[in-house]
Amino acid sequence: EAGGPNGQQQIVTIIDDDTPPSVTLLVGSLVIGEDVAPTSTPVTVLLNAMAGQEVRVFLLKTGSAKETLDFTLPGTITIPSEVLSATVTLAAVGESVAENDATVTISITGVINAEYASTPKTVTITDDDDPPLVTLSVGSSNIIETSGTTTVTVTLSAPSSFQVTVSLAKSGNAVDTVD
């Protein structure tokens, strides 16, 4: 309110015609490891100009990596007013299952109090687990020729996300279908 002629009060409206700031998505490293450094990378949202109010940035996480099983990353980043950026951490989740490397693509899906036109970023999470060892055990090595059987058990030293195929070979002088 302001004083007008003859001391009358007047209402003045100020229109904010400033262009809202624009948000850019930045990722520190595009490759992280499960258990081999670096196991995490910073994910930063950066404004091209300060905002007079809090800016919220919403993230979408897609790709072959599974959230909580392969990585952790918050879905929202908040930039306080009068601050140019905020950073969170994308962290790999280590486990002992041999599997393929996985990817997570981070995209901005929405922003409050700013604009965005940022390119998605893809981070590869490298698997560092050795494939499991295969162990064979035979129930009995002495079998009656005319009616005997035995069981061969295959055991893995650790879980695997891959199909495991074991090829068996025989040796000695026994003849198939005869002995």
Side-chain angles (χ1 to χ4, degrees):
E1 295 184 9
N6 302 326
Q8 297 175 341
Q9 290 188 344
Q10 298 289 320
I11 296 177
V12 177
T13 303
I14 300 173
I15 298 173
D16 183 1
D17 62 353
D18 294 338
T19 303
S22 179
V23 176
T24 301
L25 178 67
L26 305 170
V27 174
S29 177
L30 297 179
V31 178
I32 60 174
E34 280 185 347
D35 295 309
V36 177
T39 58
S40 64
T41 188
V43 176
T44 301
V45 287
L46 175 67
L47 296 174
N48 66 342
M50 278 198 237
Q53 52 193 331
E54 174 182 279
V55 173
R56 278 210 200 141
V57 180
F58 301 95
L59 303 177
L60 174 67
K61 300 156 275 187
T62 59
S64 60
K66 304 290 184 255
E67 191 164 9
T68 70
L69 295 175
D70 295 317
F71 72 93
T72 60
L73 177 68
T76 304
I77 304 174
T78 301
I79 305 172
S81 65
E82 305 302 323
V83 176
L84 285 175
S85 67
T87 300
V88 295
T89 299
L90 167 66
V93 174
E95 35 71 18
S96 60
V97 176
E99 59 191 351
N100 289 321
D101 293 348
T103 60
V104 57
T105 299
I106 307 161
S107 306
I108 296 175
T109 59
V111 175
I112 295 175
N113 297 324
E115 297 176 344
Y116 71 98
S118 191
T119 304
K121 307 295 184 206
T122 299
V123 176
T124 300
I125 303 169
T126 58
D127 182 68
D128 60 355
D129 299 308
D130 293 326
L133 299 174
V134 176
T135 305
L136 300 177
S137 60
V138 178
S140 174
S141 59
N142 294 320
I143 305 169
I144 299 172
E145 183 175 357
T146 57
S147 63
T149 62
T150 191
T151 300
V152 177
T153 302
V154 178
T155 306
L156 297 177
S157 63
S160 177
S161 66
F162 301 113
Q163 178 177 332
V164 177
T165 302
V166 177
S167 299
L168 300 175
K170 62 174 176 55
S171 63
N173 57 4
V175 178
D176 285 344
T177 69
V178 175
D179 292 321

